[in-house]
Amino acid sequence: MAKNRAWIIGASQSLGAHFATRMAAEGWAVTGLGRRPAAEAGLPAEVTYVQADLSVPETLDGLAEKLGDVPELVVYNAVRYPAQSEGPPPLGELEAVFRVNALAPYRLLLDLLGRPREHFCSCVVVNSDAMYHAREQNGVYSASKAALRVLTGTLAATCRGGDAAVSTLLVGPLADPQKLAGLRRVAEQRGVTEAEVVRAFLRKTNTNLVIDALIDFESCYQGLMHMARLGPVANGMMYRLDGGSSGGLV
Ligand SMILES: NC(=O)c1ccc[n+]([C@@H]2O[C@H](COP(=O)([O-])OP(=O)(O)OC[C@H]3O[C@@H](n4cnc5c(N)ncnc54)[C@H](OP(=O)(O)O)[C@@H]3O)[C@@H](O)[C@H]2O)c1
C-alpha cells in the first residue's frame, strides 16, 4: 500500500524535527524543509530533506511543484524570530520575519491548493499564543503571527466544501531544547527543581496562561494528528494547546 505523504516546512530542529521524525516512524513518507544544510538537520535518513531559505522571495517561485505531488498533509511550522539589534530593526529584517512567518505559508499553500489532486489534503499551520499579545519585546513577532492567522482564515475560506482543509495548531511556550537548557541552568544555580523554575518562569512571562509546565512536543504531535484525522471538519479550526482560557480569566 502506498504511504501517506507529508511535508513539514521548518523541519530541521525542535518541534518540526519532532513532527518529521515521529511521522516517519509512523510510516509516513516525509519531506522536511529547513534552511540549514541536510547534514546539520539530524533527521532520520528516511526523511527527504530540502534545503531552502524562505526569506528569499525567489524561493517561493515553483516551490510547491519542487516539493513533489500534493501530499495528504502539509505542516507549516517554520518561524523566524526577529534578530535582536540595537536601535530600530532594519527594514530588511522586518520584511524577512513577515516573509517567513506569514507570506511564505500563504503563498505556498495557495499554490498547493490550486493544484489538481485526487485525494484530500490537510494543511496545518503552527501559530503562537503570541498572536494575541503585542508586548514591548515581541511586537514584530506577534504582528507576523497575527497576519498569519488572518491569512490562514482566508485560505480556509477557499477550501470551503472542497477537498482540502486549512487549520491552525496554536501553541504556547514549548519545551524546546534551548529553553529547557536555560531553565535547567537557572535551577542548578538556585538549587531548586526544574519544575519550580518552569512554574516561576510561566507565571512571570505568560500571565495570561493557566499552565504550570511547558507544552511538550508529543502533545503538539497528537494535536496535529487529531486535526489531520478530522478531514474536512478541521477546515478553519484552531486547536489551542497553550494553557490559554480564550479570554475567560484575563
Ligand atoms: N518555541 C516556542 O516556545 C513557541 C511558542 C509558541 C509557538 N511556537 C511556534 O512553534 C513553531 C516552531 O517553533 P520553534 O521555536 O520550534 O522554532 P525553531 O526552533 O526556531 O525552528 C524553526 C524552524 O523553521 C526553519 N526556518 C527558519 N527560518 C527559515 C527560513 N528562512 N527558511 C527555511 N526555514 C526556516 C528553521 O530552519 P533552520 O533552523 O535550519 O534555519 C527551523 O527548522 C513556530 O511556528 C513558532 O512560532 C513556538
Side-chain angles (χ1 to χ4, degrees):
M1 207 172 78
K3 286 181 169 185
N4 277 342
R5 293 152 301 179
W7 297 352
I8 312 290
I9 311 298
S12 57
Q13 69 166 16
S14 194
L15 182 63
H18 182 82
F19 286 165
T21 306
R22 277 294 269 115
M23 293 187 72
E26 296 280 333
W28 290 70
V30 179
T31 299
L33 182 146
R35 191 178 38 177
R36 72 188 64 185
E40 292 170 26
L43 290 166
E46 58 269 32
V47 174
T48 304
Y49 184 77
V50 175
Q51 182 189 15
D53 187 345
L54 296 164
S55 69
V56 176
E58 293 72 33
T59 300
L60 267 298
D61 291 334
L63 181 63
E65 281 78 19
K66 270 180 235 152
L67 289 171
D69 290 338
V70 178
E72 280 73 19
L73 175 62
V74 180
V75 183
Y76 194 94
N77 170 75
V79 63
R80 182 180 178 114
Y81 296 111
Q84 300 300 321
S85 60
E86 293 279 321
L91 194 56
E93 175 60 14
L94 298 180
E95 287 172 353
V97 169
F98 273 79
R99 231 177 261 133
V100 176
N101 296 0
L103 304 179
Y106 178 64
R107 181 58 206 286
L108 178 67
L109 294 181
L110 208 54
D111 286 353
L112 183 85
L113 294 168
R115 287 172 60 190
R117 59 190 170 274
E118 286 167 2
H119 57 270
F120 193 82
C121 177
S122 298
C123 305
V124 177
V125 172
V126 181
N127 211 317
S128 167
D129 163 76
M131 75 179 191
Y132 297 120
H133 311 283
R135 297 198 178 91
E136 196 183 343
Q137 297 306 322
N138 73 349
V140 173
Y141 173 64
S142 294
S144 70
K145 287 295 196 178
L148 173 63
R149 175 67 194 137
V150 175
L151 292 170
T152 306
T154 66
L155 288 167
T158 67
C159 293
R160 200 170 177 166
D163 56 358
V166 180
S167 57
T168 294
L169 174 62
L170 189 144
V171 297
L174 294 174
D176 57 73
Q178 218 184 343
K179 204 182 288 119
L180 284 179
L183 293 166
R184 198 166 296 135
R185 266 196 308 277
V186 175
E188 279 162 15
Q189 281 159 8
R190 297 191 183 162
V192 294
T193 66
E194 236 175 276
E196 280 175 85
V197 173
V198 169
R199 238 187 336 267
F201 167 78
L202 287 170
R203 280 169 194 238
K204 191 171 169 198
T205 58
N206 295 82
T207 48
N208 52 307
L209 304 184
V210 293
I211 43 172
D212 264 346
L214 298 166
I215 312 291
D216 62 285
F217 287 175
E218 187 55 21
S219 296
C220 298
Y221 177 72
Q222 294 302 330
L224 172 66
M225 287 296 109
H226 176 68
M227 284 190 285
R229 276 192 298 268
L230 284 178
V233 178
N235 193 40
M237 84 177 276
M238 189 158 74
Y239 188 108
R240 198 169 173 184
L241 196 54
D242 65 348
S245 57
S246 298
L249 296 180
V250 177

